[in-house]
Amino acid sequence: METPKALLLHVDDNEACIADARLAQRLAERFDAQVTALYAVTPSVVRYPASAAMDSAWVVADQLVEFDKQQRAKAKIRFVTAQKELPRVRWSESVVVTAWDFPQQAMYSDLVVMRGAEPADKELPSDFAATVAIESGRPVLVLPSELPADVGTNVLIAWKPSREAVRAVSAALPWLRQARRVHLAAAETHDESGAASVVSLSRYLSAHGVECTRSAPIADTRDAGPAITALAGDLGADLLVMGCYGHSRTREWLLGGTTASMTREPALPVLMAH
């Protein structure tokens, strides 16, 4: 992948979005890029459906719409106040979108930067980050609640020979070329195919000037998230690169799965692609 030049930062009414913007600013400085901050949440009238059953439903609906406008205005004020330290971050006024429209806007960026969403968070669907990756076709950098000082100095690639993982590795190349350390951990297989794919990927990365250290295979279970997180912690990784899998959405989102667990509340930044 070419160095990202157009970054899209997802913003909601969480005050932590300013910390996300500071990180996006640092990425923009590293890659000589620009960042568009785009506000998007699930409308309150959808988050609180019981209001539609009230006798004065239209009054309540108007109040909820006004509440959403006020929350967006507060978020904008935070960005305007912090603008001096965010010279590469531009608040978008060109379009007003909801969580449903955001993936379409993400199509016009090289990289989306956003936080994961807990299932209890009604502002956004719990699979929001994965949905953005799947529907936009763009790589997504999912941020944890506690941001590291830097992203991409010590990288862990969670590999399996799939289209999704290939796209994630390609999107990560700008980081991998600059990283001090790159670790490669493949999904465990019952034959030699896994080891062979690791050798092939290592050769590919070497051709791009990236040398990596191979880690022990990761058990290929329905949810390998805890094992991947533990390995990332042991290695001190500040970026995880992995494919975003959503072929069977019902199984993935309702029963769990590595993609779901790694995007709802990741322990480290996760760069994923579909």
Side-chain angles (χ1 to χ4, degrees):
M1 173 186 175
E2 295 183 358
T3 302
K5 295 297 182 180
L7 278 59
L8 180 65
L9 173 66
H10 172 260
V11 179
D12 55 26
D13 59 10
N14 192 325
E15 292 184 8
C17 286
I18 291 298
D20 300 348
R22 294 190 183 102
L23 187 146
Q25 168 69 28
R26 295 197 296 273
L27 291 177
E29 291 171 350
R30 178 191 299 182
F31 298 129
D32 190 23
Q34 296 296 321
V35 184
T36 299
L38 183 60
Y39 185 94
V41 298
T42 303
S44 293
V45 292
V46 177
R47 288 154 54 191
Y48 304 105
S51 62
M54 298 180 181
D55 293 336
S56 56
W58 63 273
V59 176
V60 175
D62 286 345
Q63 292 174 341
L64 291 176
V65 170
E66 183 60 29
F67 172 78
D68 287 346
K69 291 180 179 179
Q70 293 174 2
Q71 293 299 97
R72 184 179 187 277
K74 289 179 181 178
K76 180 181 177 181
I77 290 173
R78 295 191 194 102
F79 272 77
V80 172
T81 303
Q83 194 61 58
K84 287 185 178 180
E85 59 178 312
L86 304 172
R88 290 178 179 264
V89 181
R90 176 184 62 86
W91 177 273
S92 175
E93 289 286 2
S94 60
V95 61
V96 177
V97 303
T98 66
W100 305 311
D101 308 313
F102 188 84
Q104 283 70 45
Q105 296 301 315
M107 294 177 181
Y108 309 106
S109 65
D110 296 319
L111 174 70
V112 183
V113 180
M114 62 189 301
R115 292 211 173 203
E118 277 289 278
D121 184 358
K122 294 182 179 180
E123 287 189 0
L124 299 167
S126 61
D127 63 348
F128 186 50
T131 298
V132 172
I134 292 169
E135 295 186 0
S136 72
R138 293 303 190 180
V140 175
L141 180 65
V142 187
L143 303 178
S145 56
E146 295 186 12
L147 299 178
D150 203 355
V151 176
T153 62
N154 187 4
V155 184
L156 170 61
I157 301 173
W159 171 254
K160 63 189 306 183
S162 66
R163 181 197 69 174
E164 294 83 354
V166 166
R167 296 198 65 203
V169 169
S170 177
L173 282 175
W175 276 278
L176 298 178
R177 294 190 188 102
Q178 298 179 6
R180 292 196 296 267
R181 286 170 290 179
V182 177
H183 308 272
L184 175 57
E188 189 176 37
T189 60
H190 299 294
D191 54 27
E192 298 300 319
S193 61
S197 72
V198 168
V199 172
S200 297
L201 179 61
S202 297
R203 289 174 179 167
Y204 168 79
L205 292 175
S206 182
H208 284 273
V210 178
E211 301 303 324
C212 58
T213 302
R214 302 175 197 174
S215 299
I218 300 171
D220 191 10
T221 61
R222 183 175 60 83
D223 184 3
I228 295 173
T229 298
L231 177 59
D234 292 342
L235 296 173
D238 56 19
L239 178 64
L240 170 67
V241 177
M242 60 175 282
C244 173
Y245 303 97
H247 297 300
S248 177
R249 292 178 64 85
T250 300
R251 178 179 182 273
E252 185 81 4
W253 303 151
L254 296 184
L255 300 181
T258 304
T259 298
S261 67
M262 296 305 298
T263 56
R264 286 175 178 167
E265 192 175 15
L268 73 165
V270 179
L271 180 65
M272 62 181 188
H274 178 69

